[in-house]
Amino acid sequence: MAEATSGGGPDESHGKGDSSARSPSGGRAPTEPAAEAGDDAGAGRFPVWTKVLGWCGVAGLIYLLICAVSIISRGFAGLGSDAAHAMFAFAANPWVGLSVGVLGTVLIQSSTTTTAIAVTAVGSGALPIQGAIPIILGANVGTTVTTSLVALTFVRNRAEFRRALGASTVHDFYNWLALLIFFPIELIWHPLRHLSGALTHALYGTDWLPNPSHFNFIRAATRPVEHGVIHATTHISSTLGPLFTIVIGAVLILVAVRYLGKLLKLLMVGRARDILIRAVGRNAYLAMASGMGVTVVTQSSTITTSVLVPFAGTGILTPAQVYPVVVGSNLGTTFTVVFAAFAGVGPDAEIGLQAAFVHLVYNLFAIVVIYVIPFLRPVPLFCAENLAHVASEHRWVLAVYLGTVFIALPALVIVLVGVV
């Protein structure tokens, strides 16, 4: 593909990879430095009992994630319909909802947590589906800031910083472009709401898609934790108790997702990185599939994309080769929320699943419109490489970009539109 040949020129690689073989796509065939390969090999030599404990920890954190979703649902139910709707009244404006999604994800560093809370709120009847969609779209953008911060580790070397930042911010501009295209369309014609609703209605309760109300064993397994939290908060007051329940559930989701990602990174990052590195230089769509698969396993698109930033910084990979992995990781992160949506039961469980499908459909549309169609495909890469070029010459540009786009602007919208 044409995009596989872009990126830093030969003079920028400092000899790291000039002698390596060329990949069939025309870019450098990725090869790992010996030191990094050795470090990874050492990290992978865990004793068997350590790996067993690690995978038991993974199972426990998945269990905690399911419990947390159920706890939030019970918290919203305890508030009553009027109080629950009042919690999200400030986000009724779609621009405020979008800003909440961006800023909330930047602050807690987890788009999965932000999206899961929105999906659970919809499934509990506390938030209408039209109010959740902007939050979900905003979370999709807010998650990209972490990878840009990873590029700062190369700030002392101008050439490496430019390559690393170009590879990391392609994720930013891809998601911003998707938002610029689909957010106005959704405001006018609501295709995400209609299509996700039709998909959920067609599949819910059929053999194609399991009905979460049938998973009685999951409800039985999570009930002790759920009841324990409810019992601990009911003694406060009829209003504060459910609020504390919601907060506890949200914290548990954040903890489960964060430590699940860290634990899976320790257990899987060697194999995951091998899969990514081998796939990146061969075929863009194979790289996309690898990015999606690794993200499904690690439960974090940030882990998937951050792993490749050091390889881009040292010139082993180009930003164009990282680009399809980013696209795939965006899709892979949606499956976590779909999984979490199955923990919901009750009359609004189906619409909660619809909110999860919004995230999935949105990222599928983005892939087709931005990446598959050649016209828009170069835009995120062009913007990322130009920002990286300017920021490598003037370091303050990156600080202004991150502070304005991800913090100041969303906060200003929330204050001026949602509060004032």
Side-chain angles (χ1 to χ4, degrees), residues 115-140:
T115 308
I117 292 172
V119 168
T120 307
V122 171
S124 306
L127 179 66
I129 183 66
Q130 59 268 27
I133 291 175
I135 296 176
I136 293 171
L137 269 57
N140 213 53

Side-chain angles (χ1 to χ4, degrees), residues 268-280:
M268 289 293 298
V269 72
R271 296 178 186 176
R273 190 175 69 181
D274 288 344
I275 293 170
L276 287 174
I277 297 301
R278 289 170 185 170
V280 161

Side-chain angles (χ1 to χ4, degrees), residues 107-397:
L107 293 177
I108 65 177
Q109 293 289 289
S110 173
S111 63
T112 302
T113 302
T114 305
T115 308
I117 292 172
V119 168
T120 307
V122 171
S124 306
L127 179 66
I129 183 66
Q130 59 268 27
I133 291 175
I135 296 176
I136 293 171
L137 269 57
N140 213 53
V141 170
T143 191
T144 64
V145 72
T146 307
T147 312
S148 299
L149 296 176
V150 173
L152 287 173
T153 59
F154 294 89
V155 73
R156 294 183 179 180
N157 185 304
R158 181 172 296 175
E160 291 184 352
F161 179 57
R162 175 158 60 86
R163 287 191 296 262
L165 189 60
S168 62
T169 55
V170 72
H171 198 187
D172 299 30
F173 289 106
Y174 174 82
N175 282 350
W176 279 116
L177 181 59
L179 184 68
L180 288 173
I181 293 172
F182 291 106
F183 186 56
I185 293 175
E186 181 64 23
L187 290 180
I188 300 171
W189 292 291
H190 315 294
L192 295 176
R193 183 173 53 167
H194 294 321
L195 187 57
S196 62
L199 184 64
T200 306
H201 182 72
L203 296 178
Y204 193 83
T206 67
D207 294 334
W208 289 93
L209 193 67
N211 191 324
S213 64
H214 296 164
F215 290 101
N216 294 327
F217 65 94
I218 292 181
R219 295 293 296 167
T222 60
R223 192 171 289 118
V225 176
E226 179 184 323
H227 284 181
V229 173
I230 298 297
H231 179 73
T233 56
T234 50
H235 302 291
I236 302 173
S237 74
S238 59
T239 301
L240 290 179
L243 285 176
F244 275 109
T245 301
I246 294 169
V247 171
I248 291 171
V251 171
L252 289 178
I253 288 179
L254 179 60
V255 170
V257 170
R258 178 157 297 183
Y259 286 97
L260 186 61
K262 289 184 177 182
L263 192 54
L264 285 168
K265 183 178 180 180
L266 290 174
L267 295 170
M268 289 293 298
V269 72
R271 296 178 186 176
R273 190 175 69 181
D274 288 344
I275 293 170
L276 287 174
I277 297 301
R278 289 170 185 170
V280 161
R282 295 179 183 176
N283 178 277
Y285 289 98
L286 178 60
M288 188 187 301
S290 299
M292 182 185 71
V294 170
T295 302
V296 170
V297 171
T298 61
Q299 304 277 307
S300 172
S301 61
T302 301
I303 290 175
T304 305
T305 53
S306 296
V307 161
L308 298 181
V309 172
F311 290 88
T314 55
I316 296 172
L317 298 177
T318 67
Q321 289 172 322
V322 175
Y323 184 10
V325 181
V326 165
V327 174
S329 70
N330 257 19
L331 184 60
T333 195
T334 65
F335 292 98
T336 306
V337 180
V338 172
F339 168 75
F342 280 108
V345 294
D348 294 308
E350 183 175 348
I351 196 170
L353 188 59
Q354 179 187 349
F357 275 135
V358 166
H359 198 200
L360 177 63
V361 171
Y362 170 63
N363 280 286
L364 281 172
F365 278 173
I367 290 174
V368 172
V369 173
I370 298 175
Y371 196 85
V372 175
I373 299 175
F375 176 70
L376 290 175
R377 188 188 304 164
V379 174
L381 188 60
F382 173 81
C383 294
E385 290 183 330
N386 276 276
L387 174 64
H389 178 74
V390 174
S392 65
E393 299 292 332
H394 308 283
R395 305 295 202 278
W396 58 268
V397 170

